[in-house]
Amino acid sequence: MDDMNVTAIIMFLIFISATLLITYWAAKRTKSASQYYAAGGGITGFQNGLAIAGDYMSAASFLGISALVFASGFDGLIYSIGFLVGWPVILFLIAERLRNLGKYTFADVASYRLKQRPIRLLSACGTLAVILLYLIAQMVGAGKLIQILFGLPYEIAVVLVGILMVIYVSVGGMLATTWVQIIKACLLLFGATVMAFLVLKNLDFSVNNMFSQAVSIHDNGIAIMAPGTLVTDPVSAISLGLALMFGTAGLPHILMRFFTVPDAKQARRSVFFATGFIGYFYILTFVIGFGAIVFISTNPEFMDETGALLGGNNMSAVHLSKAMGGDILLGFISAVAFATILAVVSGLTLAGAAAVSHDLYASCIKKGQAKEETEVMVSRIATICLGVMAIMLGILFEQQNIAFMVGLAFAIAASANFPVLFFSMFWEKTTTRGAMIGGWIGLISAVTLVILGPIVWVDILGNAKAIFPYKYPALFSMSAGMFFVYVISVLDKSKAAEEEREAFGDQFVRSMTGVGIETSSH
Amino acid sequence: MSKQHYEHIRNNKNFQDLVARRSKLSWTLAALILIVYYSFILVIAFSPDLFGIPISDDSTITWGIIIGIAIILFTFVITGIYVHKANTSFDQILKTVVDASHEHVNSQDSNESDRGDK
């Protein structure tokens, strides 16, 4: 894309101006800690559903899943379904208890009746690990995408994303972050709908026609209609499934969204709408991926000399927008892709900053005695630090293979965050010692197994053979985490453990009813 | 203050019934989605050819795609069922339970203040 796309730049500038106006509006309404971290609990279930869907529909999932469908057809659907089925689990087991027990971060819930400092320290480390890995992946993706779409140099693109996200989060808090996310979710759903519609329209609205043409064009032929090479052995299949399903239930930036709604009723509605939007979106990306096979894989306009797609497979959705709707749709989709990155990194940064200020600063360092204004100030400073780190790491990792990072983030979320959260809410006998040791074992084993696995040990470090043979560690690290939470809790005969078990009764009633929630959130 | 509420609610028969019914529903639905998802994954791992069978002789569409899309729709429907049930009938029972605990605690408080007057 040599000539800069004027439509893209105009639409992008409109988006930036609108979101900065929202940030200004939100800043005036953001005074207390509750407003800063949780938008004062005033978001409705429908709005939060859109915002959650926005957090989940990152540029990586829009461009990445349509690219996966473009490259291997059916396999893209396996990924989409894995990402989606975590949502009912969150609804049935997590959402209402989380809302009824917590205030700003999921560590509030995990440490509800356990010792504050060790559990919050663990949760904050789990949060920061997930957030940083995710942020690096998004920043590198953003830099490369913007480079291709707008012709900006990589470093400038990364710095621009970093600065805008720091402004949204530090000035406008959760209220601004949520609205940026909602607007972006609407734009993305609209853009993807238009593309899928145009694909089908050009094929006389015959789905069968789309598949048969794709099969006749694609190098793999009929194989794209069945499972391919994504999942080969059962251990990897189950392990990937666990990471996707339970990792979602341990992602700090997603869990934090449940504190922005007023009660459990709205928390449940959030998941319902989020599941609907995300599911619809994945069906669209499936159509878009197949549309790309039909309309752009034979079009020389989108090829380089070797016959590969310009800008790589990740650009298939972007090229398709040009093939379907010309420069106007291309401009729109490019602007939406950029907006998507901005919105997702903002949500991530806010969750990371909250872990620093609410869990590390206010609870671990100040032992719950921090002034509210100071805590919010610490959070704003943490946002700026995270922004600077994200920019530096984004530049540092430009040439690195970052494909493992989101997978590792999900593995940590499933192995460290989820077991602690789950056991503390569901199992009376959980003690601080059990949760702490199990959580750390889950975290450390997830990281270690990824480093020793084929992606890092062989592909990145260049060793001949992986020490740990599987790409996805969740089956082992999550089981280890849960096993140790259980065993250590059972063996814990201390006096503190007795008190923690006794406190479960009251916690249970509150988690089921929300009674007591009025006094703790104001 | 909340302590008394918790005590009263915990001993309320209606609350115990509600919790039992709600967790039965949520665990059943959770088991259902796990079974559906892992059946899907295990077919992919052990006999992927099964998903490559076309739905009819003159169609390119395979069972894998139909089942995949059906799982996406199922995910949405199953969350809808739970949310509907929890937000209407369960929440209604919950409201009476919580109201009863407020009444109970308030009457205790006023009894105490009555005694204090005399």
Side-chain angles (χ1 to χ4, degrees):
Chain A
M1 250 151 279
D2 303 323
D3 48 330
M4 288 288 284
N5 190 322
V6 183
T7 339
I9 294 169
I10 293 172
M11 285 182 189
F12 176 68
L13 289 178
I14 294 175
F15 176 80
I16 300 284
S17 329
T19 48
L20 287 176
L21 270 177
I22 287 174
T23 308
Y24 173 72
W25 164 81
K28 286 194 296 187
R29 279 161 186 73
T30 301
K31 302 276 181 274
S32 68
S34 152
Q35 285 154 342
Y36 182 80
Y37 291 124
I43 305 291
T44 68
F46 180 76
Q47 292 164 347
N48 194 39
L50 265 174
I52 290 175
D55 265 321
Y56 218 58
M57 303 182 296
S58 59
S61 68
F62 177 53
L63 302 175
I65 292 183
S66 39
L68 191 57
V69 176
F70 175 73
S72 47
F74 185 82
D75 280 359
L77 198 58
I78 305 178
Y79 247 97
S80 305
I81 290 174
F83 281 121
L84 188 66
V85 289
W87 284 102
V89 176
I90 291 183
L91 171 66
F92 304 147
L93 305 180
I94 308 272
E96 64 193 43
R97 291 175 194 238
L98 192 74
R99 179 63 202 96
N100 283 337
L101 290 173
K103 218 164 131 191
Y104 308 141
T105 63
F106 85 90
D108 290 340
V109 181
S111 66
Y112 188 84
R113 72 191 153 98
L114 304 179
K115 274 205 204 64
Q116 296 291 311
R117 293 175 77 185
I119 298 299
R120 283 189 191 266
L121 181 66
L122 165 70
S123 303
C125 291
T127 300
L128 289 172
V130 171
I131 296 292
L132 280 176
L133 287 164
Y134 232 109
L135 262 182
I136 295 173
Q138 294 287 333
M139 289 307 257
V140 174
K144 294 196 170 150
L145 185 67
I146 295 164
Q147 203 175 14
I148 298 171
L149 294 179
F150 298 88
L152 278 176
Y154 179 88
E155 287 78 12
I156 293 184
V158 168
V159 171
L160 186 65
V161 170
I163 290 175
L164 282 168
M165 101 188 168
V166 166
I167 293 176
Y168 294 147
V169 175
S170 65
V171 177
M174 184 54 111
L175 191 58
T177 307
T178 303
W179 279 101
V180 169
Q181 202 62 270
I182 291 174
I183 293 176
K184 161 245 150 156
C186 294
L187 290 174
L188 183 56
L189 286 168
F190 175 74
T193 304
V194 170
M195 279 175 69
F197 175 81
L198 290 175
V199 165
L200 291 173
K201 182 166 169 278
N202 281 310
L203 294 160
D204 306 323
F205 294 103
S206 158
V207 180
N208 192 35
N209 192 3
M210 173 177 84
F211 288 128
S212 359
Q213 289 207 28
V215 166
S216 62
I217 290 170
H218 202 282
D219 291 343
N220 296 350
I222 193 75
I224 60 170
M225 300 300 290
T229 51
L230 178 73
V231 189
T232 41
D233 65 304
V235 174
S236 295
I238 294 170
S239 206
L240 174 68
L242 280 178
L244 294 181
M245 193 170 218
F246 296 102
T248 307
L251 291 177
H253 61 297
I254 298 279
L255 295 174
M256 196 176 177
R257 289 239 154 266
F258 288 102
F259 305 121
T260 65
V261 293
D263 52 31
K265 205 186 209 83
Q266 297 299 328
R268 291 186 208 111
R269 282 166 54 91
S270 313
V271 186
F272 174 66
F273 290 116
T275 312
F277 290 127
I278 296 169
Y280 171 65
F281 174 73
Y282 285 149
I283 293 177
L284 294 178
T285 54
F286 196 61
V287 175
I288 289 170
F290 270 95
I293 297 176
V294 176
F295 293 107
I296 66 167
S297 59
T298 51
N299 189 336
E301 190 190 340
F302 303 113
M303 303 291 167
D304 60 17
E305 310 79 53
T306 62
L309 207 59
L310 282 175
N313 275 355
N314 271 340
M315 296 301 291
S316 54
V318 176
H319 291 322
L320 182 68
S321 69
K322 172 134 198 222
M324 292 290 102
D327 278 344
I328 299 216
L329 192 57
L330 171 67
F332 184 76
I333 293 294
S334 306
V336 167
F338 197 168
T340 297
I341 292 166
L342 275 179
V344 171
V345 291
S346 302
L348 287 167
T349 305
L350 182 59
V356 172
S357 58
H358 186 60
D359 298 329
L360 289 181
Y361 172 76
S363 298
C364 292
I365 297 175
K366 288 283 176 180
K367 299 179 186 165
Q369 303 299 313
K371 274 218 217 67
E372 201 174 304
E373 304 91 79
T374 337
E375 189 185 321
V376 173
M377 186 51 74
V378 170
S379 200
R380 294 184 206 262
I381 296 169
T383 303
I384 297 172
C385 297
L386 280 169
V388 173
M389 276 169 80
I391 291 172
M392 290 192 325
L393 291 170
I395 292 174
L396 194 69
F397 279 87
E398 181 187 354
Q399 303 302 339
Q400 305 297 315
N401 179 349
I402 48 147
F404 71 97
M405 283 187 179
V406 169
L408 178 57
F410 267 82
I412 294 176
S415 313
N417 302 349
F418 176 74
V420 172
L421 187 61
F422 179 80
F423 273 96
S424 73
M425 288 197 301
F426 276 86
W427 192 45
E428 188 178 354
K429 298 197 165 38
T430 313
T431 71
T432 302
R433 198 181 291 167
M436 189 180 70
I437 295 177
W440 280 111
I441 287 179
L443 202 164
I444 293 166
S445 60
V447 174
T448 315
L449 293 179
V450 166
I451 293 176
L452 298 181
I455 305 180
V456 175
W457 196 253
V458 179
D459 297 352
I460 295 179
L461 297 177
N463 293 295
K465 197 170 180 304
I467 297 174
F468 176 74
Y470 303 108
K471 267 199 267 184
Y472 312 104
L475 178 59
F476 303 93
S477 54
M478 185 179 152
S479 311
M482 295 193 121
F483 176 77
F484 281 101
V485 174
Y486 177 81
V487 170
I488 306 283
S489 293
V490 170
L491 294 177
D492 191 351
K493 304 277 187 244
S494 63
K495 188 156 177 299
E498 272 319 304
E499 286 164 11
E500 284 161 6
R501 287 174 189 136
E502 252 163 51
F504 183 79
D506 284 354
Q507 175 191 315
F508 180 72
V509 175
R510 173 161 165 179
S511 75
M512 290 284 109
T513 59
V515 169
I517 204 172
E518 298 88 346
T519 49
S520 66
S521 70
H522 50 79
Chain B
M1 146 84 189
S2 284
K3 197 86 187 157
Q4 289 163 283
H5 285 103
Y6 293 149
E7 186 74 43
H8 182 265
I9 293 174
R10 192 162 41 233
N11 296 322
N12 186 334
K13 181 78 177 49
N14 290 336
F15 174 71
Q16 293 159 0
D17 282 352
L18 171 72
V19 167
R21 278 177 58 198
R22 197 161 66 183
S23 54
K24 191 176 158 202
L25 179 69
S26 53
W27 283 107
T28 312
L29 295 179
L32 206 59
I33 192 85
L34 280 168
I35 292 169
V36 166
Y37 176 57
Y38 278 99
S39 316
F40 178 73
I41 286 291
L42 290 176
V43 170
I44 290 167
F46 286 109
S47 59
D49 298 344
L50 225 53
F51 279 166
I53 301 171
I55 49 169
S56 71
D57 290 340
D58 53 353
S59 177
T60 326
I61 302 173
T62 54
W63 280 109
I65 286 175
I66 298 289
I67 290 170
I69 303 288
I71 293 179
I72 293 181
L73 297 178
F74 175 71
T75 308
F76 180 61
V77 170
I78 203 175
T79 55
I81 292 172
Y82 181 81
V83 171
H84 178 74
K85 191 87 181 155
N87 279 6
T88 53
S89 67
F90 289 167
D91 271 8
Q92 218 165 4
I93 305 171
L94 189 64
K95 192 172 177 299
T96 62
V97 168
V98 173
D99 286 350
S101 87
H102 283 310
E103 245 167 59
H104 170 78
V105 172
N106 285 343
S107 72
Q108 270 195 339
D109 284 354
S110 60
N111 282 346
E112 272 166 32
S113 60
D114 283 353
R115 254 177 272 134
D117 286 346
K118 279 167 195 169

